[in-house]
Amino acid sequence: MLIGETPPRRRTTPMTRRRLLRLGSLAAGGTVALGAVACTKKTTRSGDGDVAGGAPDQDTSQWPTFPSDAEDGAEITYWRASDTDQSLVEQFMKEFPSIKVNAKLITYTDIYSKIPILLRAGSGAPDVSTLEYDHLPAFVDSDSLINLASFASAYKDYYPSWLWDQVAYGDQIVGFPADTGPVGAYYNAKQLAEFKIEPPKTWDDLAAAARQVRSQTKDVSFTYFQGNGGNFETALFWQAGARPTVPNDDGSWSVNFTSKEIGTVIDFWSSLIDDGSVPMRSTGDPQFPADMAARRYAYMVAPASRIITLGRVLKPSQVREWKVAPMPQWDSSKPAGANMGGSAYTVLKQTKYPRASAIFAAWMTLSQPGVELLSSFWMAGTNLAEKAPNFKSPTKPPLMDDQPKNPTFFAMQQLVDTGFRWSPWTDYIYNTIQDNMNKAATGSEKWADVMPTVQASVKQFATTQGYKVK
Amino acid sequence: MTGTPQPGGLAVVETRGATAAGVTAKGGRLLPPDRRAGLLPFGRGSSILFSAPFLMLFALFFLFPLAYAIYLSLFVYRGGVSRFVGIQNYTTALSDPSFWRGMGTIALFGILQAIFVQLFALILALALDSPVVKGRAVFRVVYFLPFAFPGVVAALVWGFLYSPSLDPALRAFGPGFEPLGPRFLLLAIVNIVVWGTSGYVMTMFYASLTSIPIELYDAARIDGCGELALAVRIKIPMIREMVLFTTILSIIGAIQLINEPYLLSSLTNVPLDYTPNLYVFNMAFQFQNFNYAATLSVILAAITLAASLIFIGVTRHVARADERVAARSRPLAATNSVGV
């Protein structure tokens, strides 16, 4: 189903046989063989249907209700990036016996590369797929998603407004928000107690803590700067109030990676990296789990779903040393949050059963069992999360004192600033940020050149994709 | 390595690719003209008939993709619609720092790699060729083995050897030594390629060495040459053409570098534009920007073509120079075949 954090795709994609074959054929065909892969015809689609009939008005103090009048004989294909929701899908089919769901497990890498091609081919695309918020614009731009507005607007008030913004494109609502990645912090409470450090409330506190730990030991760093994926930097920019990519009314884009807000973030972290207090780390490299197990890092700025990583790389007894805290602030009097990851259930244009698909998408994200599942490892985007019976349950595996993660991250979720817009070039932006940050961290590029380089690269990339950029 | 114009090439060249005009001209000596003419009753058309299988495959797998890539490079694809933009992608690409930085990286890689491969291959080949070495056959196989190792597996195994957590031996180089860090990454890749190809080049050098006429050695020994002087004065000059050939080929081959950086990117941060080929690959399959990937491919193909033409020019020049030398001392040169 969902992956709470946007995975650093290029870096950690496992080397599957298919990828190797693809690589091999590229090498064999030489540099010019590319031509055979792409085609340039206008997209043709089978269905262009609407979600006829809308949905009943909702009382947001209650769990929502869902219509059950789907198309006759509806059978929908559902692509997901994790199969933890298998029992949920089965429960859905029990409650809606007229809708059959065929779920298929697939990686996001494949979702993003295959769906556009299948839509162009005219058949083979799924009816419903989870798509990450940061990847929606590319699908909206190619008119690949069914506008759910007439159906979904009844459920609008179940969501914080910034999250509704993530699926609202003009007068279109292109999906039901499922999980989110509100940023907070995970920290090793045992280690912090040994250093006599409180979890930082502001970024200045964090800098002081990082320098204090460095002055005491070389073996442990207070925290690390996540150097892979580019999504970490983007979340930091978001919190600082930056709006690097903004669509204009005339169809052009404003790209601004050299704003004052972004400069503040880069200056802050670069000084910590340069003086050795904070290392830049790729969480995808094979050494990282070993370093975590060896307690090399005591604090992580991270989204709710980081509990999955902790559970994977640490023994349960070690996870018991950790707790969660809110995200550090630039200005404690004006607290702000950021989102890092999460996805929405979208309905694709090829579907023959738009209404059944919409009902499925709504139920998976807003029904009580749906919200409960989302609250277990990730963070449910809806305000209903608070009502879920497992809202205050301990995480799996449990943190210190059985602390639940949801209340902390739910509070951060309410602080996420509205108005942050993703561009259709997210993958490229992430990668180019990552590459330039890594160069700067290792001294092969000046920090001052990082964001101007990103700015120029993104503008150029957007041009080759046919966008006008200001 | 077949079809390479070799001075004084012997009968074998007759069976090799008909495309190298110089080769057939020379090989033509072997059959009397009257028999050649009478071989086939079809006249001129027969040459086309016999080259048809090649031409068809060449058109299908080279000319068509090339033409299609050029066609694609004239469009941008956005929102399900292709729009003709003329040469806009080319003007973008020509001023694309990512692409040219990648070209710089592989230029450096190509030179370093070429130097180390030829050096190791030459030393190994000379050592195997010297009479003092025992177990020659075994060592020849041992040195050749890395080439038989699949390149993908080699890159992954080396990648693990380069990871400090997985390879305790790395600590011997000191705590700051991270072969996969940005400072050493290029050298780490050079090392993998040198390890993988030196044995192969060595085999070619060794084959060339074995075909040096024994009279030369006898003459040199009479003139007072020891083993070292033999190597420097006779062996290396006699195979210099092969050394030049493999050197230029490995520099041109470097333009295609993608496997190693791509595979290492699962272990460390490799910039998406580290080499031009990797950049093209990412542009197409990571970002689905096929049109721009096609543009970059066309430019890269043009650069490779130019490099190859220069290469052919250089080898011809050297071959002619050698022939002039050979003409002056005909009896010796007649047996001077490098026959690879």
Side-chain angles (χ1 to χ4, degrees), chain A residues 9-11 13 15 19-20 22-23 26-27 31-43 112-113 117 120 141-142 227-228 251 253 282 284-287 427-428 431-432 434-435 438-439 442 460-461 463-468, chain B residues 65-66 68-69 71-72 76-83 88-89 92 95-97 101 152 164-165 182-183 256 258 262-263 265-267 269-272 277 279-293 297 300-301:
Chain A
R9 231 171 319 280
R10 180 159 61 94
R11 308 309 176 190
T13 308
M15 184 54 55
R19 279 168 65 93
L20 284 178
R22 193 205 262 164
L23 185 67
L26 185 80
T31 53
V32 290
L34 273 173
V37 182
C39 71
T40 54
K41 293 286 179 306
K42 172 88 179 89
T43 309
Y112 298 137
S113 59
I117 291 170
R120 281 157 88 166
D141 250 23
S142 53
N228 57 314
W253 284 76
S282 162
D285 80 33
Q287 170 102 32
D427 265 338
Y428 183 83
N431 274 296
T432 193
Q434 166 187 300
D435 287 351
N438 274 281
K439 281 180 195 164
T442 50
Q460 175 188 289
F461 183 79
T463 309
T464 66
Q465 296 255 282
Y467 290 88
K468 291 240 182 320
Chain B
L66 179 63
Y68 193 52
Y71 169 78
L72 278 183
V76 294
Y77 180 82
R78 175 188 166 185
V81 190
S82 271
R83 260 171 305 175
Q88 182 200 299
N89 285 333
T92 309
S95 61
D96 183 344
R101 208 168 34 232
V152 170
S165 56
R183 201 159 302 185
Q256 308 288 344
I258 177 169
Y262 178 77
L263 291 163
S265 72
S266 57
L267 297 171
N269 280 319
V270 178
L272 67 98
N277 236 353
Y279 188 45
V280 170
F281 178 83
N282 281 323
M283 209 37 96
F285 298 110
Q286 167 92 358
F287 308 126
Q288 272 79 47
N289 195 348
F290 292 108
N291 300 86
Y292 192 55
S297 301
L300 193 58

Side-chain angles (χ1 to χ4, degrees), chain A residues 214-291:
Chain A
R214 180 54 72 247
S215 70
Q216 288 176 249
T217 173
K218 289 252 177 293
D219 297 332
V220 177
S221 297
F222 178 70
T223 188
Y224 60 86
F225 186 89
Q226 186 182 320
N228 57 314
N231 52 343
F232 180 65
E233 288 90 338
T234 307
L236 296 175
F237 300 161
W238 188 338
Q239 188 209 21
R243 298 290 176 266
T245 52
V246 179
N248 300 316
D249 289 341
D250 62 358
S252 69
W253 284 76
S254 297
V255 172
N256 185 3
F257 282 93
T258 49
S259 64
K260 189 166 68 55
E261 292 86 356
I262 288 179
T264 309
V265 173
I266 299 293
D267 289 348
F268 175 80
W269 288 99
S270 62
S271 73
L272 288 172
I273 292 169
D274 280 351
D275 72 16
S277 322
V278 173
M280 187 178 242
R281 270 311 292 264
S282 162
T283 55
D285 80 33
Q287 170 102 32
F288 185 73
D291 282 353

Side-chain angles (χ1 to χ4, degrees), chain A residues 179-413:
Chain A
D179 64 330
T180 49
V183 180
Y186 279 83
Y187 65 98
N188 188 318
K190 206 174 145 198
Q191 263 180 309
L192 255 57
E194 284 163 18
F195 286 113
K196 300 194 172 58
I197 293 174
E198 290 289 309
K201 291 196 166 54
T202 65
W203 291 111
D204 287 340
D205 293 347
L206 183 141
R211 295 196 164 109
Q212 183 198 323
V213 170
R214 180 54 72 247
S215 70
Q216 288 176 249
T217 173
K218 289 252 177 293
D219 297 332
V220 177
S221 297
F222 178 70
T223 188
Y224 60 86
F225 186 89
Q226 186 182 320
N228 57 314
N231 52 343
F232 180 65
E233 288 90 338
T234 307
L236 296 175
F237 300 161
W238 188 338
Q239 188 209 21
R243 298 290 176 266
T245 52
V246 179
N248 300 316
D249 289 341
D250 62 358
S252 69
W253 284 76
S254 297
V255 172
N256 185 3
F257 282 93
T258 49
S259 64
K260 189 166 68 55
E261 292 86 356
I262 288 179
T264 309
V265 173
I266 299 293
D267 289 348
F268 175 80
W269 288 99
S270 62
S271 73
L272 288 172
I273 292 169
D274 280 351
D275 72 16
S277 322
V278 173
M280 187 178 242
R281 270 311 292 264
S282 162
T283 55
D285 80 33
Q287 170 102 32
F288 185 73
D291 282 353
M292 286 300 297
R295 299 185 175 83
R296 297 285 296 274
Y297 306 108
Y299 180 95
M300 298 186 283
V301 178
S305 58
R306 186 57 56 85
I307 185 64
I308 301 172
T309 315
L310 289 182
R312 202 172 52 222
V313 304
L314 299 181
K315 282 181 276 191
S317 61
Q318 275 191 312
V319 176
R320 277 231 174 253
E321 296 171 7
W322 288 75
K323 295 188 82 167
V324 296
M327 188 181 192
Q329 295 297 322
W330 291 107
D331 178 352
S332 336
S333 65
K334 282 183 271 174
N339 189 59
M340 179 171 165
S343 53
Y345 278 75
T346 62
V347 182
L348 290 132
K349 275 270 163 94
Q350 257 173 23
T351 184
K352 292 196 191 83
Y353 307 106
R355 188 162 173 83
S357 300
I359 293 169
F360 175 67
W363 190 87
M364 291 294 278
T365 52
L366 284 173
S367 69
Q368 185 174 334
V371 173
E372 262 185 76
L373 180 74
L374 291 171
S375 304
S376 56
F377 290 108
W378 304 273
M379 184 70 218
T382 167
N383 298 329
L384 289 165
E386 237 180 344
K387 284 191 195 302
N390 63 348
F391 183 67
K392 290 185 177 166
S393 304
T395 54
K396 288 174 224 163
L399 298 166
M400 183 185 276
D401 306 333
D402 282 341
Q403 187 196 19
K405 70 173 183 2
N406 289 334
T408 303
F409 287 98
F410 187 79
M412 286 313 301
Q413 175 147 298

